[in-house]
Each structure stands twice: as C-alpha cells, then as structure tokens.
Amino acid sequence: VRDSRPMMAAEGGRLLLDAVEGPLSWMRQVSGEYARGIGSRAMTSMALGPVGRFLQDDAADESAGLIGGLATVGFLLLVAFFIFWNSFYIVHQAEGMVIERFGKFNKVLLSGWNWVIPFIDQPRSITWRKTHVGVDGRLEDETINQTRIDLRESMFNFMRQEVYTKDTVLLDVNSLMFYRIFDIKKATYEVEDLQSALSNTAQTQLKEIFGKLTFTEALASQRSINEHLVQQFSKLFLGWGIHVERMELLDLVPKSIGEAMKKQMIAERQVRRRRACQGGGAHGR
C-alpha cells in the first residue's frame, strides 16, 4: 500500500495539469488575438462561438447600412433644397427682372413670387449709372451692375458739357433728367449701352437748342428749354422703354463771364445801331 501512494500522487498531478492546460491555452490564444488588434471582438467571438460571431457580424452590417442610408438621405435632402432655392425669385414692389433661357430672352419677372427652371433660366444683368443726393447735398453718380431693375422715378445726371450760343458765347451746361423705365425688355435689349446713348443724345440736343438762342435768351428761357427737352427726349427715349418725367437745367455758366458780357454788350450795340439806321432811313423817306 505504501508503494502505490507515490504513483497515485503522480497520476493526480498529471490530471490536474491536463485540466488547467485547456483554459490556459484558451487565454493565451485570446491574448494573442487582442495583441494583433482584434481586441474585445475576438474575445467575444471565441466566447460565443460560431453562432455568436455570425450574429455580431450581422449587427455590424446593419449598423453600417443604417449609417450609409442616413448619409444618403441627408445628401438627397441637401440637393433637393439647393434645387428648390434656385427655382424661384421673389421680386420686390416696383422692381423687375429679365430672365434668359440659354442666352435668349424668356420672360420678365414682376413683383411677387416667380418660378423659373433652375440652372437653365438665368437673370440678365444690366450696367447703369445711378444718381443720388449725397450727405453734403451734392449729386453723386454710382455705376452699378445688377439684375433687379428699379421701376420707380429716378434721376440721371448728364455730365457737364460745353455749348455755344447763337452769339458765340461758350456756356458750361449741366442738366438733370427725371425718368422712369416702363418697358424692361426694351431698356435691356434695344440699345447696347443705355447710359452712353442717353448722354450722347442729350449732348446733341443741348447743342442744337442753345445754338438757336443768344446768351440773354438762354438765361431768360430756362423753363421753356426744360419743356422743350422733355418733349424731344420723350420722343427719342420712347423706343428704349424710358419715359421722361421732367428736365432741370442745374447750371448755365459762361466759361468767361467778362468775355461773355463783352460780347453781349457788342451784340446789343449792334442791335441798337441797326434799329437807328432803320429808323433814320424810314424818316428820310
């Protein structure tokens, strides 16, 4: 009996080592996978077995699919909002817009909510010189490029220009036009450069008018000159979609006052001489 005890102890030790070796081997395998970057997923997969790994992979795929679906929906909503934002224009009261489709005139947008075809219908811009009164009370000109055309009464300041009167007095003339655009299409397409066309036309008309008047007549006839300019400009600018409300001569100054007065005195002296001669001739007969 004493001889069999060591054998039984050795056998029990081997059985205990075999029982411990299995968990130790499993733990070494899990630790190795964790070290390679698999981490907790590898531990869970080995703990749950093949069925657990399948369920875990399926849940991960569902999560990835949900995130991708949400991203797609968000992108589509963003695109839809961008298209909607470019499919209409809100035009304010007393404003207008010209819409072109593929570079060709399509329609005129008036005040209110207006629908257009996004990315195909585009507003046409127009370059214009806008006149307004500054804080110091002086007229200021500003060149603007915009797509919205103001339909209210506006001012157009004609640049100073030199004109000669009938008695060859050189005057420095500055005039102001009050106008209103009534046809947006004509104002946009009938003339290439509207502001240059207005300035050149005004220059021609002023030279023609003052060339028929003496210096004294020009000073005394500013009101009639304004009325005449309104009539002439209304006829000329009608084809450009512009209605002239009124004209104002702001400045009418001789370039050299002394020279102008001298010429005026000479002209009056010649008139008196002619009248005297005519009177003397009639008395002699």
Side-chain angles (χ1 to χ4, degrees):
V1 175
R2 287 194 304 265
D3 296 336
S4 62
R5 288 179 180 178
M7 296 178 62
M8 294 177 63
E11 186 66 22
R14 284 194 302 270
L15 293 176
L16 181 61
L17 290 175
D18 293 338
V20 175
E21 183 66 24
L24 290 176
S25 177
W26 177 80
M27 291 179 66
R28 286 195 298 268
Q29 183 177 359
V30 171
S31 299
E33 292 184 0
Y34 182 80
R36 289 193 299 270
I38 299 178
S40 61
R41 183 179 176 184
M43 296 176 65
T44 305
S45 299
M46 294 191 63
L48 297 179
V51 177
R53 288 195 299 270
F54 174 78
L55 294 175
Q56 188 180 26
D57 294 340
D58 186 61
D61 293 341
E62 289 182 0
S63 178
L66 179 61
I67 295 175
L70 291 176
T72 303
V73 171
F75 176 76
L76 293 177
L77 289 176
L78 183 62
V79 172
F81 176 78
F82 182 73
I83 294 175
F84 174 76
W85 184 258
N86 288 274
S87 62
F88 70 92
Y89 288 97
I90 297 178
V91 183
H92 299 160
Q93 186 69 28
E95 283 186 350
M97 296 179 65
V98 174
I99 298 297
E100 294 181 340
R101 180 173 297 175
F102 298 115
K104 183 180 179 181
F105 171 78
N106 182 37
K107 59 182 177 180
V108 174
L109 304 184
L110 300 178
S111 59
W113 187 292
N114 298 270
W115 291 98
V116 297
I117 301 177
F119 313 114
I120 296 179
D121 294 342
Q122 297 293 329
R124 168 69 180 266
S125 61
I126 181 173
T127 301
W128 190 248
R129 190 174 73 235
K130 190 175 183 63
T131 303
H132 57 87
V133 181
V135 293
D136 56 352
R138 297 183 179 181
L139 294 178
E140 298 180 356
D141 295 327
E142 178 185 5
T143 301
I144 57 177
N145 191 325
Q146 59 183 10
T147 58
R148 298 175 181 268
I149 301 175
D150 194 348
L151 302 180
R152 298 172 296 181
E153 182 179 290
S154 303
M155 295 184 295
F156 189 90
N157 184 25
F158 294 105
M159 297 300 178
R160 292 181 176 273
Q161 52 185 312
E162 296 178 348
V163 296
Y164 279 97
T165 62
K166 186 178 180 180
D167 48 356
T168 65
V169 176
L170 182 61
L171 300 178
D172 189 12
V173 180
N174 179 218
S175 57
L176 185 67
M177 179 180 70
F178 294 84
Y179 71 96
R180 179 175 52 84
I181 297 178
F182 69 91
D183 193 323
I184 301 176
K185 182 180 179 181
K186 288 183 178 181
T188 305
Y189 293 104
E190 289 298 324
V191 61
E192 180 181 1
D193 190 347
L194 185 57
Q195 60 179 359
S196 297
L198 294 178
S199 299
N200 294 334
T201 303
Q203 183 177 5
T204 303
Q205 289 296 317
L206 289 174
K207 287 182 177 180
E208 180 180 349
I209 292 174
F210 284 96
K212 298 178 181 179
L213 302 174
T214 64
F215 175 60
T216 304
E217 292 173 343
L219 292 177
S221 306
Q222 294 190 33
R223 183 173 181 179
S224 59
I225 292 174
N226 290 332
E227 294 175 354
H228 180 75
L229 289 175
V230 170
Q231 296 176 359
Q232 294 298 317
F233 287 170
S234 296
K235 296 177 183 178
L236 296 172
F237 300 161
L238 186 65
W240 298 340
I242 293 180
H243 175 71
V244 180
E245 301 288 345
R246 64 185 186 277
M247 291 288 302
E248 294 290 343
L249 286 176
L250 301 180
D251 291 320
L252 189 62
V253 181
K255 296 292 288 185
S256 176
I257 297 179
E259 186 68 21
M261 296 300 296
K262 181 179 178 181
K263 291 182 178 180
Q264 183 66 23
M265 292 174 60
I266 294 174
E268 291 179 356
R269 189 180 301 123
Q270 291 176 350
V271 170
R272 288 196 299 268
R273 186 182 295 112
R274 285 196 299 267
R275 289 178 180 175
C277 292
Q278 291 175 359
H283 180 72
R285 288 194 299 269

